[in-house]
Amino acid sequence: MRPKQRILVAGGCGFLGSHLCERLLAEGQEVLCVDNFFTGSHQNVEHLLGDKHFELLRHDITFPLHVQVDQIYNLACPASPIHYQRDPVQTTKTSVLGAINVLGLAKRLNIKVLQASTSEVYGDPKIHPQREEYWGNVNPIGSRSCYDEGKRCAETLFFDYRRQHSLSIKVARIFNTYGPRTHPQDGRVVSSFIVRALLGEEIVIFGDGQQTRSFCYVDDLVESFLRFMSTPDEVTGPLNLGNPEEFTILDLAKKVVGLIGSKSKIVHLPPLEDDPRQRRPDIGRAQALLGWSPQVSLEDGLQKTIRYFEALLRGDS
């Protein structure tokens, strides 16, 4: 059991954040969950509200935050294209100003801070699989740039705070993650395909469906976060965190339809702007440094996620 600490989770009412809050409480920690509810939901953490070690604070991290904590996980930023493109200026502010504010807080308190970065820093990659040494192929002025470049700038800030102020930082590059509590209308493929298949609606694929992704179940990702934060200060990352198994989007759609036994048809629409053709992490560094590898297969993870959305559509969850 880790020593009890008060841990700030920015974006704690989102999909990933709520699972992290839950796991930290299970580990015996105190959690300060901070969210502005732009995409996060009270429903994701309502089962935690009765826990005396859990505190919920409505706050936008583009503004400074003055609290006393022992660690920070910065997960605050819309992560799906539908959400981050809704207000792209605010998305960039959340990534950049949010990073400045959590780093400033960490510096004042002399504490460790983890940045939830993203595989989107690699853009539409020209090398495969993606290793941390790769600098990426990112369009700086496209419709996805608010997220891609915002996260890249946040990484810059984290490493400059490390170099300039000797701050203890951890930078995690998260690859596609899925599981219960993903937003049913966030436009990401796993949640979108499951909901449409459950409703018997057409499953929409943008492009030919041969673009690839790697899907990591949320419990595996949260485990990697905790292990990363437990490493010595010299282990800063960036670390690729995700499942290295690679699937085409078309294969994913067929697997979801098959698991549900749905009669949904798969239809194709024109490809989206700057949509990466390939995405698979090289997690060798994380395996070596954390002793971590994903444990949940895609089929098992999809089954758990399907059960969640079945309950949600019935009104049980």
Side-chain angles (χ1 to χ4, degrees):
M1 184 70 70
R2 296 176 176 86
K4 184 179 287 292
Q5 294 183 311
R6 188 169 190 241
I7 299 176
L8 167 60
V9 180
C13 291
F15 159 54
L16 283 180
S18 64
H19 283 276
L20 177 60
C21 289
E22 192 174 66
R23 176 67 186 274
L24 289 169
L25 290 169
E27 294 269 325
Q29 307 300 337
E30 295 182 359
V31 174
L32 173 60
C33 173
V34 173
D35 208 295
N36 68 350
F37 299 105
F38 182 72
T39 57
S41 169
H42 276 102
Q43 186 178 6
N44 286 341
V45 296
E46 64 183 0
H47 63 296
L48 305 177
L49 295 175
D51 191 319
K52 65 180 181 180
H53 300 300
F54 180 78
E55 180 182 352
L56 177 58
L57 174 65
R58 183 169 192 150
H59 182 82
D60 188 330
I61 67 160
T62 62
F63 298 95
L65 182 61
H66 302 284
V67 294
Q68 190 71 36
V69 292
D70 301 302
Q71 282 187 355
I72 302 171
Y73 288 83
N74 182 29
L75 278 64
C77 188
S80 74
I82 285 178
H83 290 153
Y84 67 63
Q85 290 171 350
R86 186 189 306 167
D87 188 343
V89 172
Q90 185 63 26
T91 296
T92 302
K93 285 182 176 180
T94 301
S95 288
V96 178
L97 296 179
I100 290 169
N101 288 327
V102 298
L103 286 163
L105 177 61
K107 177 174 175 285
R108 288 194 297 274
L109 298 175
N110 190 28
I111 60 173
K112 191 179 300 185
V113 54
L114 180 143
Q115 167 67 5
S117 191
T118 172
S119 59
E120 297 298 330
V121 300
Y122 298 120
D124 189 4
K126 294 186 176 180
I127 67 165
H128 192 72
Q130 291 77 60
R131 295 175 56 87
E132 289 90 347
E133 294 84 359
Y134 180 53
W135 290 352
N137 175 41
V138 177
N139 177 0
I141 59 171
S143 61
R144 300 169 67 105
S145 306
C146 58
Y147 185 70
D148 302 1
E149 294 288 33
K151 289 289 192 177
R152 285 164 67 93
C153 185
E155 286 196 12
T156 300
L157 286 162
F158 266 71
F159 279 93
D160 281 338
Y161 264 78
R162 172 70 175 173
R163 286 184 284 263
Q164 192 168 337
H165 303 296
S166 300
L167 192 65
S168 180
I169 65 164
K170 309 290 180 184
V171 175
R173 290 180 177 164
I174 302 168
F175 283 67
N176 293 64
T177 305
Y178 70 100
R181 300 186 206 137
T182 42
H183 195 288
Q185 279 87 44
D186 69 2
R188 287 185 280 192
V189 288
V190 174
S191 53
S192 176
F193 289 179
I194 290 174
V195 170
R196 286 177 173 271
L198 287 170
L199 295 174
E201 298 175 350
E202 289 182 340
I203 292 178
V204 177
I205 291 178
F206 294 96
D208 59 11
Q210 295 307 305
Q211 62 269 44
T212 66
R213 296 292 184 271
S214 302
F215 302 101
C216 185
Y217 189 67
V218 61
D219 290 353
D220 283 331
L221 190 79
V222 169
E223 174 66 23
S224 72
F225 278 0
L226 269 60
R227 293 193 187 199
F228 194 6
M229 279 294 257
S230 297
T231 56
D233 282 357
E234 59 267 22
V235 181
T236 61
L239 278 188
N240 288 339
L241 298 177
N243 194 315
E245 287 193 66
E246 188 176 11
F247 300 88
T248 69
I249 297 300
L250 183 58
D251 285 341
L252 175 70
K254 291 178 178 178
K255 184 176 284 288
V256 167
V257 169
L259 288 173
I260 293 173
S262 174
K263 296 182 179 179
S264 292
K265 294 182 179 179
I266 297 172
V267 299
H268 294 261
L269 292 180
L272 299 172
E273 180 185 15
D274 297 328
D275 189 33
R277 290 293 301 173
Q278 292 180 305
R279 185 60 54 74
R280 176 164 70 92
D282 182 322
I283 62 168
R285 186 180 291 182
Q287 288 172 317
L289 292 171
L290 310 183
W292 168 86
S293 292
Q295 301 299 306
V296 180
S297 69
L298 180 62
E299 184 161 329
D300 288 346
L302 287 175
Q303 293 279 23
K304 294 178 182 182
T305 310
I306 288 167
R307 287 194 292 271
Y308 166 78
F309 280 111
E310 285 175 334
L312 189 70
L313 292 173
R314 286 196 308 264
D316 299 342
S317 174

